[in-house]
Amino acid sequence: MAKPETEQLIVKPSAENLASAAKSAGKKGPPPVHLWNPPFCGDLDMEIRRDGTWFYLGTPIGRYPLVKLFSSIIRKDGDAYFLVTPVEKVGIRVADAPFVAVDANASGSGRDQSITFTTNVEDEVTAGTDHPIRVTRDPKTGEPSPYVLIRRNLEALIDRKTFYRLIELGAHHEVAGISWFGLWSGGEFFPVIPSADLT
C-alpha cells in the first residue's frame, strides 16, 4: 500500500549523515553555511569541550579528518551552535568557543606587528579589524579568557601557552583616556588588561 503524499519520512539526525552531506557540500572550497537555510532537525548528542575536543554520544571523536569536516559546517545563530548542511540543521553543545587557537606567530614590531593564529582545525587568521582579539576576565579570580574571531561570529579560545607567549609581545597604549596593556596586530590595538591592574 502506497504512503499518502503528505506523509513525510522523518530521518533522525546522525553524525554519519551530516558527515556525508558536509563532504559533498565542501568539494569546491569552504562550505557556504551562512547561505543555507535548511529545516531544523533537532539536537544531536555532540559537544565541543573547552579544550577543543569533540564528543559524540559521550565519546571523543578520534578521527581528526571527521572533526575537521564537522568544524567546516558549524554555525552560530544567536547564542546557539548548529551543524548545517544544505538539507539539515542540527543543534550541538559548545562549552566555550568552537575552536582553540593552539599557536601564534608574530612578525614586525610595535604598531606594525602582525599576529597570525592557527587553530586546532588548521584555520589560519591574522588578528586585525576583521579578526579582533578580545579578553574577558573571571569576576572572581581575575583569570583571563582570550579569544580571536576566526570566521563570521565563530571564535577560538587562545590556549594558555600561546597567550602567555603573546603577553611577552604586549605594549601599553591609551584607549579612551585609560592606559591599557595589550597587543598590536594588523594596525589595531587590542586591550588585554588595564595598565593599573598590572602594578
Side-chain angles (χ1 to χ4, degrees), residues 1-8:
M1 184 176 163
K3 289 184 179 181
E5 286 183 18
T6 54
E7 189 178 330
Q8 293 184 340

Side-chain angles (χ1 to χ4, degrees), residues 108-129:
S109 61
R111 292 171 184 254
D112 297 324
Q113 180 172 266
S114 290
I115 301 170
T116 300
F117 291 92
T118 303
T119 72
N120 58 321
V121 287
E122 299 178 5
D123 285 304
E124 271 196 10
V125 299
T126 298
T129 307

Side-chain angles (χ1 to χ4, degrees), residues 129-192:
T129 307
D130 294 333
H131 301 284
I133 296 168
R134 72 178 181 95
V135 179
T136 64
R137 292 172 72 194
D138 186 295
K140 292 180 182 175
T141 65
E143 183 75 17
S145 290
Y147 303 88
V148 59
L149 185 66
I150 301 300
R151 55 179 186 258
R152 294 200 167 264
N153 55 353
L154 301 174
E155 292 182 310
L157 174 68
I158 302 169
D159 73 8
R160 192 179 295 259
K161 71 177 187 328
T162 303
F163 185 58
Y164 285 147
R165 274 179 41 225
L166 291 176
I167 290 303
E168 296 174 11
L169 305 173
H172 294 275
H173 182 67
E174 196 170 289
V175 179
I178 298 171
S179 178
W180 282 80
F181 178 81
L183 297 163
W184 285 98
S185 182
E188 295 280 328
F189 180 78
F190 300 103
V192 171

